[in-house]
Amino acid sequence: MLRALRSQRLGVDLGTANVLVYQVGQGVVIDEPSVVAVSASDRRIEAIGHAAREMVGRTPGSLRILRPLQDGVIADYLVTEAMLRYFIERSAGRYRMFRPEIMVAVPTGVTTVEQRAVMDAGIAAGAKRVHLIPEPLAAAIGANVPISLPSGSMVVNLGGGTTEIAVVSLNDIVADCSGSLRVGGNRLDDAIRTYIKRKYNLMIGDRSAEEIKIRIGSAVVLEPAETMEVRGRDQVQGLPRTVTITSDEVTEAIAEPVEQILRGVRSVLESTPPELAADIIDKGIVMTGGTALLRSLGKLLSRETGIAVHVAETPLLCTALGTGIALDHFDMLQKIVISHP
Ligand code: ADP
Ligand code: MG
């Protein structure tokens, strides 16, 4: 028992939409949105995670809602640091005598300065050692992709702010094939909101748009079609109004950002060396991240590329699971994991 406590290790998925903490030996202990509410006057932190998310769209003027990681980069690093510290303390707090060792998955677009900020935040939060792993690699590990084989595998990690498309082989990301596309679930939500505003003169909030996407959204037209009632505010009269939206309309609304994702995958495939491309054709493409749950996105991607596509079993958890597993496999990840101190 004591030994288990002393060697407490945490894997952290610092995502643009969600932060997850995986405790080795326990599983996922924190799963909360990456949202922070600060006071408008002095930027004091008022709420983090679920509590802050509840306030989205309902804040009094004195509060501002921040998403400190935007488009896969740290938009506000003091707030990111505070959020990271809060989640780490909450998972490790009970055993404060034993400082945890943590593995944090960071988006591929993060700069060296930001990497340093994440490491410092981890240390400030009480970690004795902080390791960083690129998110698509952690996602691949969490999705059971055999990353240590001398054979290429393609992972498409679709999050809230970004889509990361990476070819992994020999425990590394094949450099010229990795890239991060600033299109993810948030852009799908925006597209739905804009569509409803244009077509029905109805203003809806971010959360309603996301709910529509999750309930009736599909990359390919659904048969039979599904419908959903949507409440918003009439742009002309300013009064609340309800309209019924069909899944076909949602498919149409999100067509453009979905196409951008497909184009991204196609262009990475085109720049992949032939041997690795042949491996990918053999093994297929693995999709991870919350947006991988968008209905028929895998089917569409497969149709567009001619390659089999598998959606990971628990796409929202892959990165967190991968960070936990990575903590047990340092030896083979030396090339790519950065550690401090
Ligand atoms: P990040 O790594 O950026 O934090 P996640 O992997 O946690 O992102 O995924 C969050 C995104 O997944 C959000 O945009 C959310 O709306 C989307 N999402 C979650 N569940 C579904 C679903 N069932 N269908 C479509 N999108 C979903
Ligand atoms: Mg993620």
Side-chain angles (χ1 to χ4, degrees):
M1 182 67 181
L2 261 183
R3 252 200 90 204
L5 294 182
R6 198 166 290 138
S7 60
Q8 188 184 46
R9 287 172 303 162
L10 304 172
V12 182
D13 168 9
L14 192 59
T16 59
N18 298 295
V19 177
L20 282 78
V21 179
Y22 180 96
Q23 190 170 338
V24 176
Q26 293 259 356
V28 174
V29 292
I30 301 262
D31 181 354
E32 303 225 14
S34 343
V35 178
V36 178
V38 300
S39 75
S41 53
D42 58 2
R43 294 177 61 82
R44 201 160 46 107
I45 291 177
E46 302 286 348
I48 298 179
H50 286 306
R53 173 118 208 244
E54 285 307 311
M55 301 173 179
V56 172
R58 302 197 177 97
T59 46
S62 57
L63 280 185
R64 283 186 49 212
I65 301 292
L66 304 177
R67 287 191 164 276
L69 295 133
Q70 252 160 32
D71 302 332
V73 296
I74 297 179
D76 186 324
Y77 84 54
L78 283 180
V79 174
T80 300
E81 199 177 281
M83 181 174 79
L84 185 60
R85 184 177 312 143
Y86 170 75
F87 288 132
I88 291 171
E89 275 170 5
R90 254 188 46 199
S91 8
R94 278 178 297 160
Y95 312 119
R96 212 164 284 163
M97 284 168 75
F98 309 106
R99 297 164 68 202
E101 178 171 7
I102 65 176
M103 173 76 70
V104 187
V106 289
T108 34
V110 160
T111 64
T112 323
V113 174
E114 291 167 341
Q115 288 178 355
R116 188 69 208 191
V118 172
M119 290 181 149
D120 290 345
I123 297 291
K128 94 180 151 235
R129 253 190 124 194
V130 183
H131 313 280
L132 301 186
I133 183 171
E135 173 158 5
L137 196 71
I141 297 171
N144 289 320
V145 170
I147 61 154
S148 44
L149 298 181
S151 156
S153 299
M154 179 177 270
V155 186
V156 181
N157 179 45
L158 304 118
T162 58
T163 295
E164 292 161 314
I165 305 160
V167 177
V168 296
S169 169
L170 291 169
N171 301 313
D172 204 348
I173 293 177
V174 180
D176 57 339
C177 297
S178 76
S180 170
L181 205 65
R182 303 209 163 170
V183 183
N186 300 342
R187 284 287 292 282
L188 303 181
D189 304 347
D190 290 346
I192 293 171
R193 219 183 30 235
T194 308
Y195 182 94
I196 292 177
K197 188 166 134 195
R198 277 215 199 105
K199 185 159 176 184
Y200 297 102
N201 268 320
L202 195 73
M203 310 281 281
I204 62 166
D206 285 351
R207 295 190 64 182
S208 308
E210 183 181 27
E211 204 186 321
I212 295 168
K213 172 186 73 182
I214 292 175
R215 285 217 357 230
I216 62 168
S218 174
V220 177
V221 166
L222 282 182
E223 280 180 72
E226 294 176 15
T227 61
M228 181 177 160
E229 291 211 326
V230 178
R231 259 190 302 169
R233 186 165 52 83
D234 189 285
Q235 238 188 324
V236 183
Q237 282 155 358
L239 297 172
R241 185 157 63 89
T242 305
V243 297
T244 303
I245 302 291
T246 67
S247 51
D248 289 5
E249 291 177 302
V250 181
T251 303
E252 187 188 332
I254 62 176
E256 163 64 27
V258 164
E259 175 54 33
Q260 272 182 276
I261 294 172
L262 300 178
R263 267 205 304 272
V265 176
R266 249 184 263 127
S267 85
V268 172
L269 280 169
E270 280 161 17
S271 63
T272 303
E275 289 78 10
L276 293 171
D279 297 340
I280 295 165
I281 292 167
D282 277 351
K283 291 192 291 196
I285 297 171
V286 175
M287 294 202 318
T288 61
T291 303
L293 289 167
L294 179 74
R295 280 189 277 182
S296 45
L297 184 57
K299 193 163 100 186
L300 184 61
L301 182 57
S302 172
R303 198 162 79 196
E304 291 289 308
T305 56
I307 298 173
V309 174
H310 317 281
V311 177
E313 214 168 288
T314 48
L316 281 159
L317 305 184
C318 287
T319 300
L321 296 176
T323 55
I325 298 169
L327 278 165
D328 275 331
H329 293 89
F330 270 125
D331 38 332
M332 58 184 228
L333 296 169
Q334 265 165 11
K335 263 190 290 189
I336 199 148
V337 168
I338 312 171
S339 303
H340 173 65

